Amino acid sequence: MLAPVAALYGRIAHSRMSKDPAYRSTLPVICVGNFTAGGGGKTPTPSPSATALKAAGRTPAFLTRGYGGAARGVVRVEGQAADEVGDEPLLLAEVAPTFVAADRVAGAKAIEASGADIIVMDDGFQNPSLAKDLSLIVVDAASGLGNRRVIPAGPLRAPLAGQLARADALAVIGEGNKAASLVEAFERAGKPVLKAKIAPDCDARWLGVLPVIGFAGIARPTKFFATLRGNGARLVDSQGFPDHHRFKEREAQRLLKAADEKSAMLVTTQKDWVRLPDDDPESAVTELKNRSRPFPIVVTFEDADRLAALLSDAATQRAKHSKRI
């Protein structure tokens, strides 16, 4: 029933992606994006890209839209709350300087003046305003591309063929075979395919001390709950919420009550934890933050050297191109 609407959306998205970039930055631009709307494992992937660039002697800065934040214009992330700049930028800022801008061109120009020598763009693959020197597409091996239909009939942000043509490399996150056909498509085109996994960014033994109530407002909460179980958590309850969810008082009260009744500890994602405000000691949401513990994760690539080479090559080729110009 949604096919006609999806066809119209797909034509508009394809037309938009086909436009020539409005601006080419003076710096190399690495885009970490995905073909689908949410749940592809993209959130933690820009960080290892920036880390690899730093290890190679580069000075990266993140450019992100800052979904869910109220900030306008270009904002450098420097201690703001999630309701101003969004949740993901707070995590990115722990790795490298981070700039929030809905206008990607304005954000790139701000980074050019900041002292950075390469831009890592978080999402924005389908956005044609800023030219990319490398587009690394992230896909979850357990979910792939879903039903391969375009929004709203499926998860694709634009028709697959057009997106494939503009992608440069693929990162497959986790275990599973749902991305097998996508891997084959990239390999047929001679484009690199990297494999990575999600691992705890801490000693996970604390998860087994008490029963656990997991809660998460991300695209696929069940994926987070499975990660908790896989790392030794005795999950006695799990509550999922929409992506970038702003927790309400009654929701916080319900979670706190469940933890008391079950003598359990509350565990959530880093994204959710940084989004919880802590400025009102009388608020149940603040209490939820104080009584919860985030479970940090990190994306680790099987061949980190190959990732570093891919990123460095893109930057080097851009430098050669700029000299010719």
Side-chain angles (χ1 to χ4, degrees), residues 10-231:
R11 285 197 295 271
I12 294 171
H14 177 73
S15 176
R16 183 170 181 257
M17 285 189 67
S18 299
K19 293 180 179 178
D20 290 333
Y23 179 70
R24 178 170 287 280
S25 174
T26 60
L27 303 179
V29 176
I30 307 296
C31 176
V32 180
N34 51 20
F35 289 164
T36 59
K42 179 196 65 63
T43 296
T45 308
S47 291
S49 300
T51 300
L53 288 167
K54 288 165 71 175
R58 309 290 306 207
T59 306
F62 289 116
L63 173 59
T64 180
R65 181 184 173 188
Y67 184 86
R72 296 293 178 265
V74 180
V75 177
R76 181 167 179 164
V77 180
E78 295 178 302
Q80 299 93 334
D83 60 2
E84 182 177 355
V85 297
D87 46 27
E88 294 178 17
L90 296 178
L91 301 178
L92 294 175
E94 296 178 1
V95 179
T98 299
F99 291 75
V100 172
D103 183 336
R104 304 284 183 160
V105 172
K109 290 180 177 179
I111 292 175
E112 290 167 6
S114 73
D117 64 10
I118 190 165
I119 297 170
V120 179
M121 188 162 70
D122 174 36
D123 212 352
F125 170 67
Q126 292 79 12
N127 187 320
S129 62
L130 184 62
K132 294 98 173 169
D133 295 287
L134 176 74
S135 290
L136 175 63
I137 301 303
V138 181
V139 64
D140 188 317
S143 58
L145 301 179
N147 63 6
R148 291 176 168 255
R149 294 180 181 270
V150 176
I151 295 170
L156 288 177
R157 295 181 175 186
L160 182 57
Q163 296 200 81
L164 277 170
R166 289 167 176 77
D168 298 305
L170 180 69
V172 183
I173 311 296
E175 301 296 329
N177 59 7
K178 293 295 182 65
S181 60
L182 188 60
V183 169
E184 291 173 3
F186 271 78
E187 291 178 339
R188 282 197 305 270
K191 297 178 179 181
V193 176
L194 308 176
K195 293 184 179 181
K197 62 181 180 180
I198 292 177
D201 195 21
C202 65
D203 184 338
R205 287 177 294 182
W206 60 269
L207 278 177
V209 174
L210 291 172
V212 169
I213 294 176
F215 68 98
I218 56 176
R220 289 179 57 206
T222 53
K223 183 178 177 181
F224 174 64
F225 304 144
T227 298
L228 292 180
R229 292 189 186 96
N231 284 278

